[in-house]
Amino acid sequence: MATTNRVDLDGRPITPITICMIGAGGFIGSHLCEKLLLETPHKILALDVYNDKIKHLLEPDSLPWVDRIQFHRLNIKHDSRLEGLIKMADLTINLAAICTPADYNTRPLDTIYSNFIDALPVVKYCSENNKRLIHFSTCEVYGKTIGSFLPKDSPLREDPAYYILKEDASPCIFGPIEKQRWSYACAKQLIERLIYAEGAENGLEFTIVRPFNWIGPRMDFIPGIDGPSEGVPRVLACFSNALLRREPLKLVDGGQSQRTFVYIKDAIEAVLLMIENPARANGHIFNVGNPHNEVTVRQLAEMMTKVYSQVSGEPASEVPTVDVSSKEFYGEGYDDSDKRIPDMTIINRQLGWNPKTSLWDLLESTLTYQHRTYAEAVKKAIAKPTCS
């Protein structure tokens, strides 16, 4: 239950607010809704096309928070209710986006429209109605590191100054236009610039969040079970799907890219601090990730294979991984960033936030959920005869 007499980081009492959450039915939205309902007195106007991941928060009349969450089924692309709902709230959080790498170069127009054009009215309504905005961007806005352009044998590649990503200092370096994989990052960067300009010119109170691979239960989908059969989810769900089906984990271009992963529950703590400490969060861009959980994609695959074997009680596959080219896996126009390691100075200084969960523990939690939720359904799907 929500506690009373809660105070912010500066000791001031926290006043209950109404939050318009766009994309509330997704992975991040579902965890944020849970956190807000369980631990705060705030009200939520939950906007999304789907509500499967928050059904447990909406259905039973007996739940103590039934009057603190309202679900509005709408698509922000073309719904006249959007401005009215933003006006009803004190704060708008925009989580809506196409954010699956497989779509960036196969559906570049949808990707650009979803992440830039469709977000424009949200920014406009917040600015015109003097409403605070927390906008979810991506760590992809950084693109490639400076270090990736140095010679392969350069010792400077190991110098953090050439690869650690800082909100207020690192450049945004994308590949050529024909590499349509950057359509997502470019659209996200442009909406960030527009929000920043609204703040500078029109006084919009904003916070921008740059997530670095948030991981946990309810992430993405398992193709053919609770998502499209032909869909390609992000790396962790891709690997989960392969483990559930006892298929080799596909390593794109050898799995040499380096990534950091942060547990969803740690990350949501950071978002709650932003919500409840506007004086410290307004006007800032925050990296939210865990620099200590850094691995190559190949190492991630090996680790997940071990964790899943432990969670499921089944021996690991004899052929755990298989290498595929990025062209074969993602199609023409794919490109990648080499490393994504967040600098944590600003979020630590402003909000005192640090992630707590190790990579092994977050994989254990996530794969336990995936196994409990999907293992039987996947077995049935595999056993089902297909029509010739």
Side-chain angles (χ1 to χ4, degrees):
M1 276 296 294
T3 53
T4 51
N5 304 323
R6 297 170 69 252
V7 294
D8 68 13
L9 292 172
D10 296 303
R12 292 182 292 247
I14 292 169
T15 309
I17 60 169
T18 299
I19 298 166
C20 175
M21 194 186 303
I22 300 165
F27 163 56
I28 295 171
S30 69
H31 286 276
L32 185 51
C33 284
E34 274 182 355
K35 182 87 171 169
L36 289 165
L37 293 171
L38 284 165
E39 297 181 23
T40 82
H42 308 310
K43 290 185 178 177
I44 305 166
L45 304 174
L47 282 55
D48 212 321
V49 180
Y50 306 105
N51 65 4
D52 303 14
K53 294 183 182 185
I54 54 170
K55 264 190 175 157
H56 62 295
L57 303 175
L58 300 171
E59 285 181 345
D61 292 335
S62 58
L63 290 176
W65 54 69
V66 74
D67 61 338
R68 288 201 293 119
I69 183 166
Q70 284 177 15
F71 179 71
H72 297 265
R73 193 180 299 277
L74 63 84
N75 185 330
I76 61 167
K77 269 184 192 174
H78 39 65
D79 201 301
S80 56
R81 293 173 291 170
L82 180 62
E83 184 173 13
L85 289 162
I86 287 173
K87 278 182 174 178
M88 285 167 63
D90 304 289
L91 161 69
T92 293
I93 299 176
N94 191 5
L95 292 153
I98 285 178
C99 53
T100 307
D103 291 329
Y104 305 160
N105 54 309
T106 57
R107 297 170 58 205
L109 283 175
D110 283 345
T111 300
I112 292 164
Y113 271 77
S114 163
N115 290 291
F116 180 67
I117 306 292
D118 297 349
L120 285 174
V122 177
V123 181
K124 178 172 173 272
Y125 296 149
C126 286
S127 187
E128 289 175 353
N129 294 289
N130 296 314
K131 301 294 183 179
R132 187 176 167 224
L133 171 66
I134 296 179
H135 184 84
F136 273 68
S137 184
T138 170
C139 60
E140 291 224 4
V141 296
Y142 292 110
K144 299 173 182 246
T145 65
I146 300 170
S148 69
F149 293 91
L150 295 170
K152 288 265 192 282
D153 57 354
S154 170
L156 290 175
R157 275 179 170 253
E158 301 307 311
D159 183 341
Y162 289 86
Y163 64 80
I164 296 285
L165 301 170
K166 300 184 177 187
E167 301 96 324
D168 57 349
S170 297
C172 303
I173 307 171
F174 302 153
I177 297 298
E178 65 185 32
K179 298 291 189 185
Q180 295 206 89
R181 190 249 197 271
W182 300 109
S183 59
Y184 172 68
C186 194
K188 283 290 199 184
Q189 187 202 143
L190 190 53
I191 199 72
E192 278 199 29
R193 290 195 183 278
L194 184 112
I195 291 166
Y196 197 91
E198 279 287 355
E201 289 192 36
N202 297 322
L204 172 68
E205 290 191 357
F206 72 87
T207 302
I208 290 169
V209 185
R210 290 180 180 166
F212 281 70
N213 295 304
W214 295 10
I215 301 297
R218 300 195 290 271
M219 184 185 177
D220 278 5
F221 59 91
I222 297 297
I225 305 299
D226 61 353
S229 296
E230 301 307 308
V232 181
R234 283 168 290 188
V235 64
L236 192 120
C238 257
F239 285 175
S240 297
N241 183 40
L243 290 165
L244 285 159
R245 294 173 187 274
R246 298 192 64 73
E247 295 170 355
L249 279 59
K250 291 179 178 176
L251 298 178
V252 176
D253 295 338
Q256 293 313 301
S257 295
Q258 287 173 281
R259 296 289 181 268
T260 56
F261 297 89
V262 65
Y263 190 40
I264 183 67
K265 292 191 187 305
D266 289 351
I268 292 298
E269 290 277 359
V271 180
L272 185 59
L273 287 166
M274 293 173 209
I275 291 169
E276 296 190 328
N277 293 275
R280 287 170 175 253
N282 282 343
H284 286 285
I285 300 169
F286 291 116
N287 289 341
V288 181
N290 189 336
H292 306 296
N293 286 347
E294 185 206 353
V295 282
T296 65
V297 174
R298 179 177 288 278
Q299 287 168 331
L300 176 71
E302 290 164 356
M303 205 167 178
M304 284 181 69
T305 301
K306 283 180 194 162
V307 173
Y308 189 71
S309 177
Q310 186 178 298
V311 162
S312 65
E314 297 170 2
S317 167
E318 284 178 26
V319 186
T321 62
V322 59
D323 286 8
V324 295
S325 72
S326 54
K327 185 178 176 183
E328 186 186 341
F329 193 78
Y330 286 120
E332 201 70 58
Y334 188 76
D335 197 7
D336 208 354
S337 50
D338 51 320
K339 278 180 183 250
R340 291 209 202 116
I341 303 171
D343 180 86
M344 306 299 289
T345 309
I346 294 178
I347 195 165
N348 198 262
R349 182 188 70 216
Q350 293 300 117
L351 303 174
W353 180 81
N354 273 308
K356 304 180 188 83
T357 312
S358 71
L359 185 56
W360 182 276
D361 287 348
L362 75 83
L363 289 177
E364 196 171 50
S365 164
T366 307
L367 291 174
T368 299
Y369 171 84
Q370 301 282 64
H371 181 69
R372 282 183 188 153
T373 309
Y374 297 115
E376 286 308 310
V378 167
K379 276 178 189 160
K380 282 178 190 163
I382 293 169
K384 205 179 283 180
T386 52
C387 300
S388 56

Coordinates of all heavy atoms in Angstrom, one line a residue, residues 97-101 103-105 108 111-112 114-116 136-141 174 180-190 211 234:
A97 N 6.6 4.0 -28.4 CA 7.7 4.0 -29.4 C 7.7 2.6 -30.1 O 7.3 1.6 -29.6 CB 9.1 4.2 -28.8
I98 N 8.3 2.6 -31.3 CA 8.7 1.4 -32.0 C 10.2 1.3 -31.5 O 11.0 2.2 -31.9 CB 8.6 1.4 -33.5 CG1 7.1 1.3 -33.9 CG2 9.4 0.3 -34.1 CD1 6.9 1.4 -35.4
C99 N 10.5 0.2 -30.8 CA 11.9 0.2 -30.3 C 12.5 -1.2 -30.4 O 13.1 -1.7 -29.5 CB 11.9 0.7 -28.8 SG 10.8 -0.2 -27.8
T100 N 12.3 -1.9 -31.6 CA 12.8 -3.2 -31.8 C 13.8 -3.1 -33.0 O 13.3 -2.8 -34.1 CB 11.7 -4.2 -32.1 OG1 10.7 -4.1 -31.1 CG2 12.2 -5.6 -32.2
P101 N 15.1 -3.4 -32.8 CA 16.1 -3.2 -33.8 C 15.7 -3.9 -35.1 O 16.0 -3.3 -36.2 CB 17.3 -3.9 -33.2 CG 17.2 -3.7 -31.7 CD 15.7 -3.8 -31.5
D103 N 13.0 -3.8 -36.6 CA 12.1 -3.0 -37.4 C 12.9 -1.7 -38.0 O 12.3 -1.1 -38.9 CB 11.0 -2.4 -36.5 CG 10.0 -3.5 -36.1 OD1 9.8 -4.5 -36.8 OD2 9.5 -3.4 -34.9
Y104 N 14.0 -1.4 -37.4 CA 14.6 -0.1 -37.8 C 15.0 0.0 -39.3 O 14.8 1.0 -39.9 CB 15.9 0.2 -37.0 CG 15.7 0.2 -35.5 CD1 16.7 0.1 -34.6 CD2 14.4 0.3 -34.9 CE1 16.6 0.0 -33.2 CE2 14.2 0.3 -33.6 CZ 15.3 0.2 -32.7 OH 15.1 0.1 -31.4
N105 N 15.5 -1.1 -39.9 CA 15.8 -1.1 -41.3 C 14.8 -1.8 -42.2 O 14.9 -1.7 -43.4 CB 17.2 -1.5 -41.6 CG 17.5 -2.9 -41.0 OD1 17.3 -3.1 -39.9 ND2 18.1 -3.8 -41.8
P108 N 11.6 1.5 -41.7 CA 12.2 2.7 -41.3 C 11.1 3.9 -41.2 O 11.2 4.8 -40.4 CB 13.3 3.0 -42.3 CG 12.9 2.2 -43.5 CD 12.2 1.0 -42.9
T111 N 9.2 3.5 -38.1 CA 10.1 3.8 -37.0 C 10.3 5.4 -36.8 O 10.2 5.9 -35.7 CB 11.5 3.2 -37.2 OG1 11.3 1.8 -37.3 CG2 12.4 3.5 -36.1
I112 N 10.5 6.1 -37.9 CA 10.6 7.5 -37.8 C 9.3 8.2 -37.4 O 9.3 9.1 -36.5 CB 11.1 8.1 -39.2 CG1 12.6 7.6 -39.4 CG2 11.1 9.6 -39.2 CD1 13.1 7.8 -40.9
S114 N 6.8 6.9 -35.7 CA 6.5 6.5 -34.3 C 7.3 7.3 -33.3 O 6.8 7.8 -32.3 CB 6.7 5.0 -34.1 OG 6.8 4.7 -32.7
N115 N 8.6 7.5 -33.6 CA 9.5 8.1 -32.6 C 9.6 9.6 -32.7 O 10.1 10.2 -31.7 CB 10.8 7.4 -32.7 CG 10.8 6.0 -32.2 OD1 10.6 5.7 -31.0 ND2 10.9 5.0 -33.1
F116 N 9.2 10.1 -33.8 CA 9.3 11.6 -34.0 C 8.0 12.2 -34.2 O 7.4 12.9 -33.4 CB 10.3 12.0 -35.0 CG 10.4 13.5 -35.2 CD1 11.0 14.3 -34.2 CD2 10.0 14.2 -36.3 CE1 11.1 15.7 -34.3 CE2 10.0 15.6 -36.4 CZ 10.6 16.3 -35.4
F136 N 10.8 9.3 -22.7 CA 11.7 8.2 -22.8 C 12.4 8.2 -24.2 O 11.7 8.1 -25.2 CB 11.0 6.9 -22.5 CG 10.9 6.6 -21.1 CD1 10.2 7.3 -20.2 CD2 11.7 5.5 -20.6 CE1 10.1 7.0 -18.9 CE2 11.7 5.2 -19.2 CZ 10.9 6.0 -18.3
S137 N 13.7 8.4 -24.2 CA 14.5 8.3 -25.4 C 15.2 7.0 -25.4 O 14.6 5.9 -25.1 CB 15.5 9.5 -25.4 OG 16.2 9.5 -26.6
T138 N 16.5 7.0 -25.7 CA 17.2 5.7 -25.8 C 18.7 6.0 -25.8 O 19.2 7.0 -26.1 CB 16.9 5.0 -27.2 OG1 17.8 3.9 -27.4 CG2 17.1 6.0 -28.4
C139 N 19.5 4.9 -25.3 CA 20.9 5.1 -25.4 C 21.4 5.0 -26.8 O 22.6 5.4 -27.1 CB 21.6 3.9 -24.5 SG 21.2 2.3 -25.1
E140 N 20.6 4.6 -27.7 CA 21.0 4.6 -29.1 C 21.3 6.0 -29.7 O 21.9 6.1 -30.8 CB 20.0 3.9 -30.0 CG 19.8 2.4 -29.7 CD 19.8 1.6 -31.0 OE1 19.8 2.1 -32.1 OE2 19.6 0.4 -30.8
V141 N 20.8 7.0 -29.0 CA 21.1 8.4 -29.6 C 22.6 8.7 -29.6 O 23.1 9.5 -30.3 CB 20.4 9.5 -28.8 CG1 18.9 9.4 -28.9 CG2 20.8 9.6 -27.3
F174 N 26.3 8.7 -35.9 CA 25.5 7.7 -36.6 C 26.2 7.3 -37.9 O 27.1 8.0 -38.4 CB 24.1 8.2 -37.0 CG 23.3 8.7 -35.8 CD1 22.3 9.6 -35.9 CD2 23.5 8.1 -34.5 CE1 21.6 10.0 -34.8 CE2 22.8 8.5 -33.4 CZ 21.8 9.5 -33.6
Q180 N 19.9 2.1 -42.7 CA 18.6 2.6 -42.1 C 18.4 2.2 -40.6 O 17.5 2.6 -40.0 CB 17.5 2.1 -43.0 CG 17.5 2.8 -44.3 CD 16.2 2.9 -45.0 OE1 15.5 3.8 -44.8 NE2 15.8 1.8 -45.7
R181 N 19.3 1.4 -40.1 CA 19.3 1.0 -38.7 C 19.3 2.3 -37.8 O 18.8 2.3 -36.7 CB 20.5 0.2 -38.4 CG 20.5 -0.5 -37.0 CD 21.5 0.1 -36.1 NE 21.7 -0.8 -35.0 CZ 21.0 -0.8 -33.9 NH1 20.1 0.1 -33.7 NH2 21.2 -1.6 -32.9
W182 N 19.9 3.4 -38.4 CA 20.0 4.6 -37.6 C 18.7 5.5 -37.7 O 18.7 6.5 -37.1 CB 21.2 5.4 -38.0 CG 22.5 4.6 -37.8 CD1 23.3 4.0 -38.8 CD2 23.1 4.2 -36.6 NE1 24.3 3.3 -38.2 CE2 24.2 3.4 -36.8 CE3 22.7 4.4 -35.2 CZ2 25.0 2.9 -35.9 CZ3 23.5 3.9 -34.2 CH2 24.7 3.1 -34.5
S183 N 17.7 5.0 -38.4 CA 16.4 5.8 -38.4 C 15.9 6.0 -37.0 O 15.3 7.0 -36.7 CB 15.4 5.0 -39.3 OG 15.1 3.7 -38.8
Y184 N 16.0 5.0 -36.2 CA 15.4 5.0 -34.8 C 16.2 6.0 -34.0 O 15.6 7.0 -33.4 CB 15.5 3.6 -34.2 CG 15.2 3.6 -32.7 CD1 13.9 3.8 -32.3 CD2 16.2 3.2 -31.8 CE1 13.6 3.7 -30.9 CE2 15.9 3.1 -30.5 CZ 14.6 3.3 -30.0 OH 14.3 3.2 -28.7
A185 N 17.5 5.9 -34.0 CA 18.4 6.8 -33.2 C 18.2 8.2 -33.6 O 18.2 9.2 -32.8 CB 19.8 6.3 -33.3
C186 N 18.1 8.4 -34.9 CA 18.1 9.8 -35.5 C 16.7 10.4 -35.1 O 16.7 11.6 -34.7 CB 18.2 9.7 -37.0 SG 18.5 11.3 -37.7
A187 N 15.6 9.7 -35.2 CA 14.3 10.2 -34.8 C 14.3 10.5 -33.3 O 13.7 11.5 -32.9 CB 13.2 9.2 -35.1
K188 N 14.9 9.6 -32.5 CA 14.9 9.9 -31.1 C 15.8 11.1 -30.7 O 15.4 11.9 -29.8 CB 15.5 8.6 -30.4 CG 14.5 7.5 -30.2 CD 13.4 7.8 -29.2 CE 12.7 6.6 -28.7 NZ 11.5 6.9 -27.9
Q189 N 16.9 11.3 -31.5 CA 17.7 12.4 -31.2 C 17.0 13.7 -31.5 O 17.0 14.7 -30.8 CB 19.0 12.4 -32.0 CG 20.0 13.5 -31.5 CD 21.0 13.9 -32.6 OE1 21.4 15.0 -32.7 NE2 21.6 12.9 -33.3
L190 N 16.2 13.7 -32.7 CA 15.6 14.9 -33.1 C 14.4 15.3 -32.1 O 14.3 16.5 -31.8 CB 15.0 14.8 -34.5 CG 14.5 16.0 -35.1 CD1 15.5 17.2 -35.1 CD2 14.0 15.8 -36.6
P211 N 17.4 5.0 -21.5 CA 17.6 3.7 -21.0 C 18.7 2.9 -21.7 O 18.8 3.0 -22.9 CB 16.2 3.0 -21.3 CG 15.3 4.1 -21.6 CD 16.1 5.2 -22.2
R234 N 13.9 -8.0 -29.1 CA 15.3 -7.6 -28.8 C 16.1 -8.8 -28.3 O 15.6 -9.8 -28.0 CB 15.2 -6.4 -27.8 CG 14.9 -5.2 -28.5 CD 14.6 -4.1 -27.6 NE 13.3 -4.3 -26.9 CZ 12.7 -3.4 -26.1 NH1 13.3 -2.2 -25.9 NH2 11.6 -3.7 -25.5

